[in-house]
Amino acid sequence: MRAALAAGLALAASAAPAQEPPLWANLAECSAVFRATALSAGYGGVTAEQIAAAETAAAAFRARAVEVAGEMGQTEAEADVASIMVYLEPRWENRIDRLFSVKSNLDWFGYCGRLGREQGVLIPDLAP
């Protein structure tokens, strides 16, 4: 038992740290974030214009994700982005009830705002 524990600890200590997702995957995740924002229309004070702006941002992030995936060598960039949207969108839809009150969600909004500006996806009016 002790030998197995020691071996496990040694393996964990020598394991390489998790790699950062590729840029196109983060752009895709930001698409899902903005899509969830557009779907959270039940919050008071949200205008139809703001919902449309979030939908536009979601589409722009997704388009940029496909573009960057292609630039990074993904031979089927659109299919690759679509394959991760299958789980990203439901994951963010499941956060809608507490979308604007959970720190990790707010951190994603900040990150997506910065990434969107860096990548030319967001115009200043859409940037969080």
Side-chain angles (χ1 to χ4, degrees):
M1 178 75 161
R2 285 185 180 173
L5 178 60
L9 290 173
L11 182 60
S14 67
Q19 286 187 335
E20 180 72 22
L23 176 60
W24 63 267
N26 285 337
L27 288 160
E29 181 126 19
C30 288
S31 173
V33 169
F34 275 89
R35 181 174 178 273
T37 302
L39 294 174
S40 66
Y43 287 92
V46 176
T47 66
E49 185 177 87
Q50 290 168 319
I51 293 169
E55 290 169 344
T56 298
F61 269 108
R62 187 169 178 154
R64 182 69 179 136
V66 170
E67 184 180 347
V68 170
E71 292 169 358
M72 294 180 79
Q74 299 297 121
T75 57
E76 295 185 30
E78 193 163 336
D80 291 338
V81 170
S83 74
I84 65 171
M85 297 308 291
V86 169
Y87 67 85
L88 290 174
E89 288 177 341
R91 180 169 81 180
W92 280 95
E93 287 172 20
N94 289 332
R95 295 180 176 195
I96 286 175
D97 290 342
R98 298 180 359 181
L99 194 59
F100 303 108
S101 62
V102 175
K103 184 180 179 334
S104 65
N105 293 351
L106 298 176
D107 290 345
W108 267 102
F109 285 123
Y111 171 75
C112 291
R114 290 186 303 277
L115 182 62
R117 287 186 296 276
E118 288 171 9
Q119 292 293 311
V121 172
L122 293 178
I123 58 174
D125 289 349
L126 294 177

